[in-house]
Amino acid sequence: SGGLAKTFHYGDFSFDVGPHRFYSPKRQIADFIAQVLGEDRIILFRNSEVYFFGKYHSWPLRPTVLFNLPLKIMLKSGWDLLLLGIRNNNGKKPDNFQDYILNNYGPSLYNVFFRDFTQKFLGCHPTQVHCEWAKEGMKRTIIDESIASRNLFDIFKLFFMFRPHKMEFMYPRNGTGVFCDRLMEEIKAHGQEVMVNSAVTKIRHSHDTIEEISVNGTGIEPECVVWTGSLRDICAILGFSCEGL
């Protein structure tokens, strides 16, 4: 395991890189994680918060956070709600992250939160980010996927009916790296290879098909490629432009 999946050991203590806990509403995925961890699975309850406008708020955000904002911003957001209710976009689809947030949440929340947060998190302006990122990101404002949170109007409605429940999270005993180590053992037990401390240096492709990947100078012809690294990195290896990503 490596990067953000690694657990470091120092004396009698173990340290994870980042707050890693496992959760999935999909039973098949949750069962898979539980199977890999076995007896080393610990059940925890989330208690994450984000510091925003001088206060700590539960994360993922709850609908009530809107009513804990400074009065001026709350009133502006309410005005945005009224405008969104009567505005007609003529069926025009958003082209980027900024368009999507402005069309669904209004300029007030975009300017005080989404714009700077997105630019800091992704390293580029929201106008350079695809609108699908906004759609997927907003699903995580409330972790309970059975509750819709599509726009500002939905958030106002949720304020009157939202009843948060305790979320159970799985955590590996002795650190999140345990999961990765166990998974690597399972893969090797099935006769497969896991290459660590390795780098993809070249990708040979034809049209829309990846034909060969060079890892540390060794060519591999893959059946399927899943890339979880930086999009900028793989674009550089493929020789593609990052414009519009």
Side-chain angles (χ1 to χ4, degrees):
S1 58
L4 295 180
K6 189 173 181 62
T7 297
F8 297 91
H9 303 285
Y10 183 80
D12 296 331
F13 300 94
S14 299
F15 300 90
D16 286 344
V17 181
H20 285 81
R21 291 157 291 188
F22 294 102
Y23 168 82
S24 176
K26 309 297 183 183
R27 175 51 53 189
Q28 184 178 5
I29 297 176
D31 289 344
F32 172 75
I33 296 172
Q35 177 185 348
V36 173
L37 292 178
E39 296 181 355
D40 286 326
R41 181 186 59 155
I42 301 174
I43 301 298
L44 299 174
F45 295 100
R46 177 203 296 276
N47 185 25
S48 298
E49 295 178 327
V50 59
Y51 190 73
F52 187 48
F53 279 112
K55 295 182 180 179
Y56 285 98
H57 303 280
S58 297
W59 184 266
L61 298 175
R62 304 303 186 203
T64 52
V65 70
L66 186 63
F67 297 87
N68 291 327
L69 295 175
L71 179 61
K72 183 178 180 179
I73 295 176
M74 185 176 69
L75 293 176
K76 283 186 175 181
S77 299
W79 178 248
D80 290 345
L81 172 65
L82 294 176
L83 293 180
L84 288 170
I86 61 177
R87 186 177 59 187
N88 182 8
N89 291 324
N90 297 320
K92 182 180 179 181
K93 295 183 179 180
D95 293 326
N96 52 59
F97 186 102
Q98 176 178 283
D99 290 346
Y100 182 89
I101 297 298
L102 289 175
N103 290 348
N104 289 278
Y105 295 87
S108 297
L109 289 180
Y110 171 77
N111 290 327
V112 301
F113 181 75
F114 292 109
R115 181 188 60 195
D116 293 343
F117 177 84
T118 301
Q119 189 156 349
K120 182 183 294 184
F121 181 69
L122 297 178
C124 54
H125 194 272
T127 55
Q128 298 176 303
V129 181
H130 198 279
C131 64
E132 289 298 327
W133 182 279
K135 294 178 183 179
E136 292 302 315
M138 293 313 301
K139 289 180 181 179
R140 291 162 177 77
T141 57
I142 300 172
I143 201 166
D144 188 347
E145 295 184 356
S146 64
I147 300 175
S149 177
R150 293 179 298 275
N151 52 43
L152 188 57
F153 186 62
D154 287 334
I155 293 179
F156 270 91
K157 291 191 297 183
L158 284 171
F159 175 73
F160 299 101
M161 54 83 67
F162 183 69
R163 295 294 183 271
H165 60 275
K166 287 187 176 180
M167 305 296 300
E168 290 188 354
F169 291 81
M170 290 179 284
Y171 184 78
R173 195 186 309 273
N174 298 322
T176 191
V178 170
F179 175 81
C180 302
D181 293 339
R182 291 278 182 85
L183 192 57
M184 182 168 62
E185 292 171 1
E186 289 282 340
I187 293 173
K188 289 182 176 180
H190 285 79
Q192 303 302 315
E193 181 183 5
V194 177
M195 303 175 70
V196 297
N197 299 319
S198 302
V200 176
T201 55
K202 184 179 179 181
I203 298 178
R204 179 164 57 84
H205 62 93
S206 176
H207 302 293
D208 59 351
T209 301
I210 293 179
E211 299 175 341
E212 184 181 77
I213 296 177
S214 294
V215 181
N216 294 344
T218 302
I220 300 174
E221 297 182 358
E223 294 182 5
C224 176
V225 177
V226 178
W227 182 271
T228 60
S230 167
L231 289 177
R232 295 180 183 276
D233 288 344
I234 194 170
C235 282
I237 297 173
L238 289 169
F240 293 163
S241 169
C242 294
E243 188 70 27
L245 289 179

